[in-house]
C-alpha cells in the first residue's frame, strides 16, 4: 500500500522542511523502586527510551530497503542516500520510541508505522493531513485522540494497547479499516458508535471484553451492516444473526431517520435561500411569521388571547388568525411564482445576449484572420520578388498594403463595436422591461398584503367588540362581582381606547415591516441591474481595447518585417520574419 520508500517521488516541488532541532537519540530513565513482600528494596532498573530524529528515520528507511531488496536481481544494492523531503512512508518499529514528535516537515507522508514501541499518547500529527495509513499497534496508548486533522485516513491500527473506549474518530469519514484488537473495550455502545462510518469495511475487536459477549457478532451485524470482515474473518451471517434485532436498534434507526429528514429540510432551506437571493425575494417565505415576531403589540398582548382558558377568547385563532395567515401566504406564494417567472426571463435574455456577443466576436475574428491570411500571401510574394530583383518599390508597395491591412482590420473592429452597441441597447431595453414588470408585480403584492393587514385589523376590532359586549352582559348578570377579581386582559378589552390603540399599533407595525422589506427589495434590484450594466459595459470596453492593441501589434510587426528586409544584414530566410500566428 503506497509507494516504497526508495521509489518515493514527489508530485510537487516540496517546501523546505522547517528547521528541526536535533534531540539526543537515547535517554535513560530511572524507574522508581518498590518494596518486595519481604521488605527488601528491589534493584533499580534503567529503561532505555528513544525519540524520533533524522538519524532514526534514515536508519529505518535503509532497513526497509534492505528488507524488501529483490535478491533475484544480480548486483542490486541498497541505496544508502535518503531524501527526507520526498518520503511518503516511515516505519520505525521496536526502537523504544516513547513519544510521537519531530515529524514537522514530513508533510508528504501517506503511511506512518510506529508499532511495537512504548508510546503512551497520540499527539503531534495534525500537520500530516495526507496520511492514509497509521499503525500504532503494540504500544501503551490509553485513549484515542489527536486524529481530528487526519481526514484522509483510511487505515488505523491500534492493536494491543490499553484503550477502553472507541472515541476521537469523528472526522475520519474515509476510514475503511479499524483494528482495535487486544484492548480493554467492554461496552457494546462503543461498537454502536461506529455506525455513522459508512466507509468502514474491516473491524477487529478480538481480545476485548466486548468480544466475549454472546451476541457480539450478531450485534455487530445488526448495528454495523457495512462491515465485511470482523476479527480477521469474512462475515457470513447465519439466519439467526440476520433476524437478531437488539432492543436499542429501533430507537437508533428512528433517530437516524429524523436526522435524515432534518438534513433534507436544511438542504431544501439552503437551496431556497440561494434561489431567493438570486430572485431578490429574501425574507418573503417567512414574511408572515417574521412580521408577527417583530410586532410588539401582537407579541405582548394580542397573542395572549389564544392562550386564555375563558370561553370568550376561544374564537380568536379561528375567527381572526387562521384565515389571515392563509390569505397572506396565498399572496406570498403567488408573488414568488411571479418573481420566478421574471427571473427566468431575465436569465434567458442575459444568456441570449452573451451568446450573441460571442457570435459577433467570433465572426469579426474570422473576418480579421481571413484579411491577415490574404495579406500574408501578398507579403510572401513581395519578399520573394524583392530578393530576386532587389527593387525597393516592391517593399514600398508592401508597406502600402500594410496600411490597407490596418484600415481593413480597424473597419472590422468598428463594425463589431457598432454591432455590440446595438446588442447592448437591445439588452438594456429588455432589462428596463424586466424592471418595470418586476416593480409592478412588487407594488401589486404590497397592496394586496396591505389589504390583508387591514382586514386583520378590522376583524380583531370586531372580535374585541364582541368580547367587550360579553363581559358587559356578565357584569349585568352578576352585579355583586368583586372588582379585584377582574381579569387584566378583560380589563384591557373593556377599555375601548386602550385596546383600539393596541390594535392600531399592531396594524402599523405589520404594515411598516412589509413596506421596509419591499423597499429593500426595490433598492437591491436597482443595484443589481446597475451592477450588471456596468460589468457588461466595462467588459465590452476592455475587450475593445485589447482588440485594438492587437491590431496595432500586428501592424507594427509587419512594418518591422519590411524594415528588416530592407535594411537587415541577412535576408537568408523567412522564418525570422514570419507574420503573426
Amino acid at each position: 500500500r503506497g509507494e516504497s520508500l526508495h521509489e518515493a517521488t514527489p508530485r510537487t516541488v516540496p517546501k523546505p522542511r522547517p528547521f528541526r532541532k536535533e534531540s539526543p537519540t537515547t535517554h535513560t530513565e530511572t524507574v522508581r523502586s518498590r518494596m518486595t513482600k519481604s521488605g527488601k528494596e528491589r534493584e533499580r532498573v534503567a529503561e532505555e527510551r528513544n525519540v524520533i530524529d533524522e538519524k532514526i528515520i534514515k536508519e529505518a528507511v535503509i532497513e526497509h530497503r534492505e528488507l524488501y531488496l529483490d535478491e533475484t536481481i544480480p548486483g542490486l544494492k541498497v541505496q544508502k542516500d535518503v531524501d527526507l523531503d520526498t518520503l511518503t512512508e516511515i516505519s520505525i518499529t521496536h526502537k523504544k520510541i516513547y513519544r510521537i514528535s519531530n515529524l514537522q516537515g514530513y508533510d508528504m507522508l501517506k503511511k506512518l508505522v510506529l508499532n511495537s514501541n512504548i508510546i503512551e499518547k497520540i499527539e503531534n500529527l495534525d500537520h500530516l493531513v495526507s496520511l492514509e495509513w497509521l499503525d500504532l499497534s503494540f504500544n501503551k496508548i490509553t485513549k484515542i485522540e489527536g486524529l481530528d486533522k487526519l481526514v484522509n485516513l483510511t487505515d488505523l491500527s491500534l492493536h494491543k494497547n490499553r484503550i477502553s473506549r472507541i472515541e476521537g474518530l469523528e472526522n475520519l469519514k474515509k476510514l475503511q479499516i479499524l483494528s482495535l484488537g487486544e484492548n480493554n473495550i467492554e461496552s457494546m455502545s462503543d461498537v454502536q458508535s461506529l455506525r455513522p462510518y459508512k466507509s468502514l469495511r474491516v473491524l477487529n475487536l478480538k481480545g476485548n471484553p466486548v468480544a466475549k459477549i454472546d451476541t457480539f457478532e450478531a450485534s455487530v451485524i445488526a448495528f454495523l451492516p457495512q462491515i465485511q470482515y470482523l476479527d480477521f474473518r469474512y462475515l457470513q451471517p447465519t439466519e439467526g444473526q440476520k433476524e437478531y434485532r437488539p432492543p436499542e436498534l429501533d430507537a437508533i434507526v428512528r433517530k437516524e431517520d429524523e436526522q435524515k429528514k432534518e438534513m433534507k429540510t436544511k438542504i431544501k432551506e439552503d437551496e431556497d435561500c440561494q434561489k431567493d437571493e438570486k430572485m431578490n425575494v429574501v425574507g418573503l417565505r417567512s414574511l408572515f411569521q417574521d412580521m408577527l415576531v417583530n410586532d410588539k403589540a401582537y407579541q405582548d398582548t394580542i397573542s395572549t388571547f389564544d392562550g386564555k382558558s375563558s370561553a370568550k377568547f376561544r374564537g380568536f385563532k379561528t375567527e381572526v388568525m387562521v384565515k389571515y395567515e392563509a390569505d397572506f401566504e396565498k399572496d406570498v406564494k403567488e408573488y414568488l411564482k411571479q418573481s420566478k417567472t421574471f427571473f427566468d426571463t431575465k436569465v434567458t435574455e442575459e444568456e441570449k445576449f452573451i451568446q450573441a456577443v460571442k457570435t459577433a466576436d467570433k465572426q469579426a475574428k474570422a473576418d480579421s484572420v481571413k484579411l491577415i491570411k490574404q495579406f500574408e500571401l501578398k507579403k510572401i510574394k513581395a519578399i520573394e520578388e524583392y530578393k530576386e530583383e532587389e527593387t525597393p518599390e516592391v517593399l514600398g508597395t508592401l508597406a502600402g498594403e500594410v496600411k490597407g491591412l490596418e484600415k481593413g482590420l480597424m473597419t472590422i473592429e468598428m463594425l463589431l463595436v457598432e454591432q455590440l452597441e446595438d446588442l447592448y441597447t437591445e439588452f438594456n431595453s429588455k432589462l428596463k422591461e424586466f424592471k418595470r414588470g418586476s416593480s409592478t408585480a412588487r407594488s401589486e403584492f404590497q397592496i394586496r398584503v396591505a389589504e390583508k393587514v387591514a382586514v386583520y385589523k378590522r376583524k380583531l376590532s370586531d372580535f374585541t367588540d364582541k368580547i367587550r359586549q360579553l363581559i358587559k352582559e356578565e357584569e349585568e348578570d352578576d352585579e355583586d362581582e368583586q372588582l379585584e377579581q377582574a381579569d387584566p386582559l378583560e380589563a384591557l378589552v373593556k377599555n375601548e381606547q386602550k385596546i383600539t390603540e393596541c390594535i392600531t399599533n399592531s396594524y402599523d407595525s405589520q404594515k411598516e415591516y412589509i413596506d421596509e422589506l419591499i423597499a429593500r427589495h426595490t433598492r437591491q434590484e436597482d443595484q443589481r441591474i446597475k451592477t450588471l450594466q456596468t460589468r457588461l459595459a466595462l467588459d465590452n470596453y476592455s475587450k475593445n481595447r485589447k482588440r485594438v492593441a492587437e491590431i496595432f501589434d500586428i501592424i507594427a510587426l509587419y512594418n518591422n518585417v519590411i524594415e528588416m528586409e530592407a535594411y537587415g544584414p541577412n535576408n537568408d530566410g523567412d522564418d525570422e520574419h514570419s507574420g503573426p500566428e
Side-chain angles (χ1 to χ4, degrees), residues 50-52 97-101 118-121 123-124:
N50 296 329
V51 295
I52 300 171
I97 302 297
Y98 76 95
R99 186 183 179 196
I100 303 174
S101 61
I118 53 174
I119 297 168
E120 297 181 355
K121 184 178 182 180
E123 58 184 340
N124 300 321

Side-chain angles (χ1 to χ4, degrees), residues 278-505:
K278 292 178 181 178
M279 291 165 50
N280 192 36
V281 291
V282 173
L284 271 179
R285 296 181 193 275
S286 59
L287 175 58
F288 185 79
Q289 297 301 329
D290 294 343
M291 178 181 68
L292 295 182
V293 168
N294 283 274
D295 181 353
K296 191 173 186 304
Y298 178 84
Q299 292 295 326
D300 293 348
T301 305
I302 298 171
S303 64
T304 59
F305 290 178
D306 190 37
K308 291 295 291 181
S309 58
S310 173
K312 295 188 289 293
F313 290 90
R314 286 177 189 169
F316 167 70
K317 193 168 184 177
T318 55
E319 293 179 30
V320 180
M321 297 306 297
V322 172
K323 192 169 189 317
Y324 178 34
E325 182 176 5
D327 292 345
F328 196 100
E329 293 293 358
K330 183 179 178 181
D331 286 337
V332 170
K333 188 176 181 180
E334 180 62 29
Y335 176 60
L336 285 172
K337 186 178 178 181
Q338 286 181 310
S339 297
K340 186 178 185 306
T341 301
F342 282 115
F343 174 74
D344 291 343
T345 302
K346 173 176 168 287
V347 170
T348 301
E349 291 298 333
E350 186 175 347
E351 289 173 350
K352 287 167 60 177
F353 166 74
I354 292 172
Q355 186 58 45
V357 169
K358 287 181 178 178
T359 301
D361 186 59
K362 184 178 180 180
Q363 184 59 50
K365 188 175 291 184
D367 293 342
S368 298
V369 169
K370 182 179 179 180
L371 207 59
I372 292 171
K373 285 183 176 179
Q374 291 174 352
F375 174 79
E376 271 290 316
L377 295 175
K378 295 178 182 179
K379 183 205 76 170
I380 293 171
K381 185 177 179 181
I383 289 177
E384 288 177 351
E385 185 179 344
Y386 172 73
K387 287 180 179 179
E388 291 175 359
E389 302 178 7
E390 295 188 1
T391 52
E393 292 81 4
V394 174
L395 294 181
T397 302
L398 186 59
E401 292 287 350
V402 172
K403 291 182 179 178
L405 174 64
E406 180 179 8
K407 183 177 179 181
L409 292 175
M410 290 302 294
T411 299
I412 293 172
E413 177 59 27
M414 291 305 102
L415 289 173
L416 176 61
V417 169
E418 291 177 6
Q419 188 178 0
L420 293 180
E421 188 63 37
D422 291 341
L423 289 173
Y424 277 103
T425 300
E426 182 181 355
F427 181 63
N428 282 330
S429 175
K430 296 285 186 182
L431 284 179
K432 289 179 181 178
E433 185 180 335
F434 159 78
K435 185 178 177 181
R436 281 195 300 271
S438 177
S439 179
T440 300
R442 193 181 300 112
S443 298
E444 290 174 352
F445 168 72
Q446 186 175 8
I447 292 171
R448 289 198 303 271
V449 291
E451 290 173 353
K452 301 300 184 294
V453 178
V455 171
Y456 155 79
K457 178 184 179 182
R458 186 175 66 252
K459 285 191 174 182
L460 190 55
S461 297
D462 292 344
F463 181 75
T464 54
D465 289 345
K466 184 181 74 171
I467 293 175
R468 190 181 308 110
Q469 182 61 33
L470 290 173
I471 293 172
K472 184 177 180 181
E473 291 173 0
E474 286 181 356
E475 289 177 345
E476 289 175 353
D477 293 340
D478 191 0
E479 295 179 356
D480 298 330
E481 185 178 1
Q482 297 294 324
L483 184 63
E484 60 270 20
Q485 293 178 349
D487 184 277
L489 193 56
E490 291 185 3
L492 174 64
V493 173
K494 282 173 60 178
N495 190 326
E496 186 173 355
Q497 182 179 351
K498 286 188 176 181
I499 193 62
T500 300
E501 182 181 350
C502 180
I503 294 172
T504 301
N505 288 341

